[in-house]
Amino acid sequence: MKSTLIALTTCLALAGTVVAAAPELPEWERGADPGQFVLGGGLWPGAPPSEEDVPVDNAAAQQLAESAGAATTAPGAPGDPVARQRPLGPPPVIADPRSEPVLMAMADAGARPAAGLRVPMPALMPLSAMETFSHELPPVAGELRDEYFSLRPVEYLVDPQRLLTEQKSHDVQRFLEYHADEAQFDICLMLFGGSQEIPEDISLEDRHREWFADQPVVLVAYFLEHPERTRVVYGAGVRQKLPDGVFNRIFQSCVREAQVAETPFDQVERFAIEMSIRLYWLAKMIERQAAGESIPTSEEELSGPKWENLAATEQPGAAGSAGIDAASDAAAAGLPVLLWLGVGGVILLLSSLAGVGAWWWRRDSLAAKPVLFPDVDLPTRLGGNFSGGGYVGISFDVSGKAES
Amino acid sequence: MKCPHCSRPVDHEAHTCYSCGYSLATAESIFGRNYVQMSRLHDAAHCLRKPERDVLEDILDQLEMRFPQLLFCVYLGALTKEVKLNELGFWLLNHAEVRGADYARSNENGVLLLIDVNTKQAGISLGYLGELLLPEAEGYRCLQAARPYLVNGAYGQALAILLRKIGRVLSRRARQIKRNPREIEDASKSRPIVPEVIPPDPEPLPREMQAAMAGRL
C-alpha cells in the first residue's frame, strides 16, 4: 500500500512537472498592426487574416474572390483589402493581363472554395512572371530620405523600400560582396523607384565625399525600370585620373547591358555585373596609367582588344617561359610594335584616300549645300521672254542617227 | 544659240532668225498663243511607273534644294513627226507655268527635259540663264549618258541619270563661276558668229569684159 502511494505520488509530480515545463509558443502578430512583423523578409503581407476577415460561408468566399479579381485590375482602390493590409514591403504587383492571371481564372471558372474553408487573401496567391508596378512610390522624403542619406551605408545594396524581391535582393547583395572582395573598387548600389527622384538638396558627390572620402567606392543611384537615369559617382580622385570618355563608356555599357534584360529586377542584376566588370578594367587602366602608359580615349580604343585582353598579357613569365634569349625577346617585343605601326599606317592611308574620294564625290553631290548663281541681265531673242530656244538634243532611235 | 527651227546661229538680241525668220510668233502659230500649266514631272505619254515617278520626284527635290534659283521640269510626250521637239521646248518655256514652282524660279532659269517617245528624241531646252550654265557640249554628254536607257525604253532610269548628270555639271559650273565671277558676264555678252544675211558685192568684172560691156552699151 505504501509503495502504491509512493508510485501514485511520483506520477502526479511528474505530470505536474511536464505541465509546468510546457514551451512558450510565439504569438502570431495581429492583423490590426501588420507593419511591425514582416514575414518572409518583406515578400508577403505581414499578418495572416484574422478571424473577422476570413469568410466562412460560400457567399462570402465568392464575394471575396470577386473582390480579389477586382483587386488585380484596380489595386490600391479604396476598400481594397489588399491595399489596407499592405505593409512596407515590395510594391503591390498585378498580373499581366495577357498572361491569364490565376486569380481571375479562379474567380471566373467557378473554382469556389468549399463551405467552411478558409479562403486565403488574394494577394497571397502566386503571381505571374510578368510583374509590373501598379502604383506610384512615395517621394524620397522624411524617414525614407533619412534611410537613404542620413548615414553611411553599411551594406553594398541600399534598398530600404524593398523594391527587389527577396531572392533577387540576396543575389545582388551577395554579388556585390563578392565583387568587393575581388575588385579594387567597391560598388554601393542605392535602389530607387522608377518614378522617384533624388531630393534636389542631396548631392551624391557630397555624400560620396562624406561617406567614403578617398576610399575606392563607386556610389550608384539606380532607378528601377529606368537604368538610363542611373547616376554613378566615382569620387574626385578617380575622375581626375582618367578622361571623361572612359567613364561615359562604362556608363553606356552598363545601361546597354541592363536594357537587355526583360524584367526590372534582372536589369538591376545585369547592371551590377557589367559595372563590376568595367570597374575591374578601370582599376587595371589606372594601374597602367600609373606605370606611364597612355590611356585610350576614343570609343574604338576603349572597346578594342588591348584592354580586354589585359588578363592574358599580364600573366607573369608567360613570355619568358620559352627560354629565349634577350635578343630574341627584344625582337619579339619590337615586331608587334612595327606590325601595329604598319597596319595603322596602311589604315590611315586608306582612310585618307577614302576621305579624299568621298570629298571629291560629295562636292558635286546633290546633297551638298545650296548653290547660288549671280544675277545677270540677259537680253531676249526671238521674241521669247524666258527662253531664246537654247536646246541640246539627241535621237535614240536605233535605226536613226544621233544628232545634236 | 541656235534657231529652234533651222539650227543656224542666232544673235542674242535678234528678234527673228536671220536665216528663216523664225520667232516665238511662229511657234505660237503652231502650238497656240495661250498659256498652259504643266507639272514638274509631266508625263503626257504615260510611260512612267509609280516607283519611277517617286524616284524622279526625289531627285527633283534634291536638285531644287541644291540650286534654289533654277527650275527643273520634265516633259514626256508622244508627238507627231510634224512637231519638232526643240520648238516645243522653246514654246513651253515661254508659255508654260510649272505648278508649285515658287516665284524665285522663273522660266528664265528653267531646265526643261523633253522626251518624245514616238520620234525617239530627247533634249534639254534651256532658259536664258540655263544656256549660260549648261554648255552645249556638257548637255550633249549628259544626254549620251542616258542614251542606253532611252534606247531600252527605261525612261525613268534615263531621266534619273540625266537629272543627276545635269546636277553634277551645274555643280562644276558653280565652282568655276565662284572662282571667276566675271565668266558668266562674259559668256552673256559673247556674240555668236552670225552668217551674213546680205550677200557680198560681186567681184568686179575683168577689164576686157567691162570694155565689151561698155562697147555694147
Side-chain angles (χ1 to χ4, degrees):
Chain A
M1 184 64 186
K2 187 179 179 181
S3 61
T4 306
L5 187 63
I6 292 171
L8 187 61
T9 305
T10 305
C11 288
L12 286 173
L14 189 60
T17 306
V18 169
V19 170
E24 292 184 359
L25 295 175
E27 292 184 358
W28 290 100
E29 65 269 31
R30 301 291 300 170
D33 193 10
Q36 290 189 353
F37 304 97
V38 180
L39 297 179
L43 267 182
W44 314 104
S50 63
E51 292 293 334
E52 294 79 13
D53 296 335
V54 177
V56 293
D57 56 353
N58 271 347
Q62 186 180 358
Q63 186 180 358
L64 191 58
E66 288 172 358
S67 67
T72 56
T73 53
D80 180 12
V82 181
R84 275 193 283 110
Q85 293 191 1
R86 183 175 300 122
L88 181 63
V93 291
I94 59 169
D96 189 350
R98 294 169 295 184
S99 60
E100 298 180 359
V102 178
L103 296 177
M104 291 297 289
M106 282 188 62
D108 296 341
R112 299 172 184 171
L117 184 65
R118 290 190 176 185
V119 178
M121 296 304 294
L124 301 181
M125 298 297 291
L127 299 169
S128 169
M130 293 289 291
E131 296 172 344
T132 56
F133 293 99
S134 62
H135 81 299
E136 292 292 325
L137 291 166
V140 181
E143 292 183 2
L144 190 57
R145 169 196 166 110
D146 292 342
E147 287 177 343
Y148 273 111
F149 301 111
S150 63
L151 296 173
R152 173 183 168 154
V154 294
E155 293 182 336
Y156 295 110
L157 176 64
V158 182
D159 183 18
Q161 303 179 82
R162 296 184 182 118
L163 299 171
L164 291 182
T165 61
E166 185 182 21
Q167 182 62 45
K168 190 62 73 178
S169 177
H170 287 173
D171 289 347
V172 175
Q173 178 71 33
R174 277 199 297 271
F175 174 75
L176 293 178
E177 289 170 358
Y178 166 76
H179 166 81
D181 291 340
E182 297 293 327
Q184 181 179 346
F185 287 94
D186 297 349
I187 301 173
C188 180
L189 183 63
M190 304 178 79
L191 210 58
F192 297 91
S195 60
Q196 289 179 322
E197 299 282 348
I198 297 175
E200 292 182 355
D201 57 331
I202 294 290
S203 168
L204 290 180
E205 287 77 10
D206 292 344
R207 295 291 163 179
H208 185 280
R209 197 179 308 115
E210 180 184 340
W211 289 341
F212 307 115
D214 295 331
Q215 296 177 15
V217 179
V218 177
L219 182 62
V220 180
Y222 184 92
F223 295 88
L224 212 61
E225 292 186 287
H226 295 280
E228 72 279 359
R229 291 180 56 201
T230 303
R231 291 184 57 191
V232 184
V233 181
Y234 292 90
V238 181
R239 294 290 298 214
Q240 289 170 359
K241 288 179 183 173
L242 295 171
D244 288 341
V246 175
F247 300 102
N248 292 337
R249 173 73 178 175
I250 292 174
F251 176 75
Q252 289 166 8
S253 300
C254 294
V255 171
R256 190 165 50 241
E257 189 66 21
Q259 287 173 340
V260 172
E262 291 184 355
T263 65
F265 306 139
D266 290 342
Q267 286 181 348
V268 179
E269 191 172 21
R270 291 186 76 103
F271 188 95
I273 292 171
E274 183 66 17
M275 176 62 79
S276 167
I277 295 170
R278 292 290 168 175
L279 288 180
Y280 176 78
W281 292 117
L282 181 73
K284 295 290 179 187
M285 204 180 292
I286 291 175
E287 289 175 5
R288 293 251 168 168
Q289 190 194 34
E293 290 190 18
S294 62
I295 299 300
T297 54
S298 67
E299 294 284 312
E300 293 75 14
E301 288 173 322
L302 285 172
S303 59
K306 184 177 179 183
W307 295 99
E308 301 294 337
N309 295 333
L310 274 177
T313 58
E314 71 177 2
Q315 295 294 331
S321 60
I324 53 178
D325 57 357
S328 60
D329 274 347
L335 183 61
V337 174
L338 290 176
L339 187 66
W340 280 112
L341 282 176
V343 170
V346 170
I347 291 174
L348 190 65
L349 182 65
L350 290 177
S351 58
S352 301
L353 288 175
V356 170
W359 169 80
W360 185 268
W361 177 258
R362 185 171 169 74
R363 67 175 189 160
D364 287 342
S365 167
L366 296 182
K369 61 183 181 181
V371 171
L372 290 177
F373 296 104
D375 290 329
V376 184
D377 290 332
L378 297 167
T380 62
R381 66 174 185 273
L382 299 182
N385 291 325
F386 305 110
S387 171
Y391 179 82
V392 185
I394 61 167
S395 168
F396 54 92
D397 189 359
V398 179
S399 61
K401 187 180 177 182
E403 59 179 346
S404 63
Chain B
M1 290 172 259
K2 294 178 180 176
C3 171
H5 186 70
C6 65
S7 299
R8 297 280 181 84
V10 178
D11 189 8
H12 62 193
E13 289 182 0
H15 294 290
T16 58
C17 174
Y18 296 116
S19 301
C20 62
Y22 185 82
S23 69
L24 183 62
T26 315
E28 287 172 345
S29 66
I30 300 171
F31 300 107
R33 300 182 62 83
N34 56 323
Y35 288 86
V36 295
Q37 275 198 335
M38 62 179 289
S39 57
R40 189 174 63 165
L41 182 56
H42 198 94
D43 183 15
H46 302 288
C47 53
L48 291 181
R49 296 174 185 166
K50 175 73 168 54
E52 293 172 336
R53 292 184 66 89
D54 292 343
V55 171
L56 290 175
E57 291 283 359
D58 285 345
I59 297 173
L60 287 170
D61 285 341
Q62 291 175 1
L63 279 170
E64 289 183 353
M65 288 283 289
R66 174 83 165 136
F67 307 104
Q69 297 163 296
L70 301 186
L71 174 72
F72 297 92
C73 44
V74 178
Y75 175 87
L76 288 103
L79 308 175
T80 60
K81 286 185 179 178
E82 288 77 23
V83 177
K84 292 183 72 174
L85 207 56
N86 48 359
E87 290 183 41
L88 177 64
F90 172 56
W91 180 83
L92 276 175
L93 278 179
N94 285 299
H95 272 261
E97 176 195 2
V98 178
R99 287 193 205 99
D102 52 18
Y103 183 74
R105 304 174 196 274
S106 77
N107 285 19
E108 188 180 23
N109 304 345
V111 178
L112 171 62
L113 273 54
L114 298 148
I115 292 179
D116 180 7
V117 297
N118 269 358
T119 60
K120 306 285 184 189
Q121 289 193 351
I124 307 171
S125 278
L126 301 164
Y128 288 119
L129 182 61
E131 285 180 20
L132 299 180
L133 300 178
L134 191 67
E136 187 175 346
E138 294 285 357
Y140 185 71
R141 209 167 288 140
C142 295
L143 286 167
Q144 284 297 334
R147 192 170 187 273
Y149 298 95
L150 291 169
V151 170
N152 290 331
Y155 300 113
Q157 285 177 284
L159 284 170
I161 288 176
L162 191 51
L163 286 169
R164 288 199 180 101
K165 285 275 181 189
I166 289 173
R168 290 196 165 274
V169 170
L170 290 175
S171 297
R172 273 203 302 272
R173 190 76 175 136
R175 278 203 313 277
Q176 292 172 359
I177 292 171
K178 189 177 179 181
R179 281 198 298 267
N180 183 15
R182 292 185 57 83
E183 184 181 350
I184 191 167
E185 296 178 7
D186 296 341
S188 67
K189 290 173 183 172
S190 67
R191 290 175 175 272
I193 301 172
V194 181
E196 294 287 345
V197 179
I198 304 170
D201 293 335
E203 291 182 1
L205 293 172
R207 288 183 180 177
E208 298 80 15
M209 292 188 67
Q210 286 181 6
M213 291 286 289
R216 193 178 300 170
L217 291 175

